[in-house]
Amino acid sequence: MKPQDIIAGKSSLWIFGYGSLVWKPDFKYKRSEVGYIRGYKRRFWHGDNFHRGNDESPGRVVTLIEDEDATTWGVAFEVSGSQLEDSLKYLTVRETVRGGYITKMVDFFPDGEDGSSVQALVYIATADNPLYLGPATPEEIGAQIAVCRGKTGHNLEYLLRLAEFMRSSCPQVEDHHLFAIETAALTVVSYLLAAQ
Ligand SMILES: N[C@@H](CCC(=O)N[C@@H](CS)C(=O)NCC(=O)O)C(=O)O
């Protein structure tokens, strides 16, 4: 969907973040809510040759994989007025042009509400994306993250800030995939530091 199609006729829009957006939205918004979406699991299966890696050593960042039994927790940001066009213009470059993500609309369930939901825009990298890396073990993913860096910073920062968000804002959620990769990456970092 093109940004102009997304905002057509809308005075406000919710944007759901589940990766770097949860800790670094970098666009102006009216309010934010921690919550979840259903039918997707978060996986470090997308490559990144700009923000957290390069062409020779692509980093690993998250995307969403369809799984009807899964939920993914993150943060939704409501943008309104001029924030609508500004945020989408910014995210088109950050997410789509540089990250290869496409946009979809999903139902977002704010935490603690009565089970009600709102429609939210989400950026997803699909398997047909040239940057898509696909499944790997937590040890393989952790080792890749431990040594990659790109124009925005180290891939390890991307991982640790997401893990920190989940522990502080979603303590009730046990994200085995995320925390296994965090453990693996920190193990590699400790070996590298010990070998110095
Ligand atoms: N679309 C996901 C993932 C977003 C994401 O991590 N995108 C990368 C692009 S490859 C990014 O913005 N990276 C910025 C950074 O690493 O600081 C989200 O909603 O948070």
Side-chain angles (χ1 to χ4, degrees):
M1 276 185 287
K2 294 189 181 64
Q4 54 271 35
D5 299 334
I6 295 166
I7 61 178
K10 285 189 174 60
S11 59
S12 71
L13 173 72
W14 286 92
I15 300 169
F16 178 65
Y18 58 90
S20 62
L21 291 181
V22 303
W23 52 271
K24 194 180 70 173
D26 270 2
F27 57 83
K28 287 187 172 48
Y29 55 88
K30 185 177 167 187
R31 59 183 167 140
S32 64
E33 293 278 352
V34 172
Y36 62 93
I37 62 173
R38 291 177 177 155
Y40 292 94
K41 59 189 177 187
R42 176 178 34 225
R43 290 294 181 268
F44 274 88
W45 292 0
H46 189 50
D48 177 358
N49 63 357
F50 182 86
H51 293 285
R52 302 292 169 167
N54 56 45
D55 291 331
E56 293 72 41
S57 303
R60 277 210 182 236
V61 292
V62 291
T63 187
L64 294 174
I65 307 297
E66 290 187 12
D67 176 341
E68 62 183 20
D69 300 325
T71 57
T72 294
W73 285 76
V75 182
F77 303 91
E78 184 181 23
V79 291
S80 63
S82 62
Q83 296 171 346
L84 256 165
E85 190 173 347
D86 294 348
S87 60
L88 291 181
K89 199 179 291 181
Y90 165 70
L91 289 171
T92 296
V93 173
R94 169 174 164 174
E95 298 291 297
T96 304
V97 174
R98 289 177 175 161
Y101 290 82
I102 60 170
T103 53
K104 286 187 82 169
M105 294 303 289
V106 293
D107 290 326
F108 170 72
F109 296 84
D111 188 20
E113 295 286 320
D114 55 1
S116 60
S117 64
V118 291
Q119 278 275 292
L121 181 74
V122 67
Y123 288 86
I124 298 179
T126 50
D128 58 353
N129 183 297
L131 286 170
Y132 186 78
L133 297 176
T137 65
E139 292 70 27
E140 288 164 336
I141 296 174
Q144 186 174 351
I145 289 175
V147 299
C148 284
R149 68 176 308 120
K151 290 182 175 51
T152 306
H154 205 292
N155 204 171
L156 189 63
E157 179 196 24
Y158 180 104
L159 169 67
L160 298 182
R161 284 184 179 268
L162 179 57
E164 180 189 15
F165 162 79
M166 287 301 294
R167 286 198 181 90
S168 60
S169 301
C170 312
Q172 76 283 9
V173 179
E174 183 53 38
D175 189 328
H176 295 290
H177 175 79
L178 171 62
F179 296 136
I181 291 169
E182 182 192 37
T183 300
L186 290 175
T187 301
V188 170
V189 169
S190 62
Y191 285 145
L192 293 173
L193 290 173
Q196 280 182 352

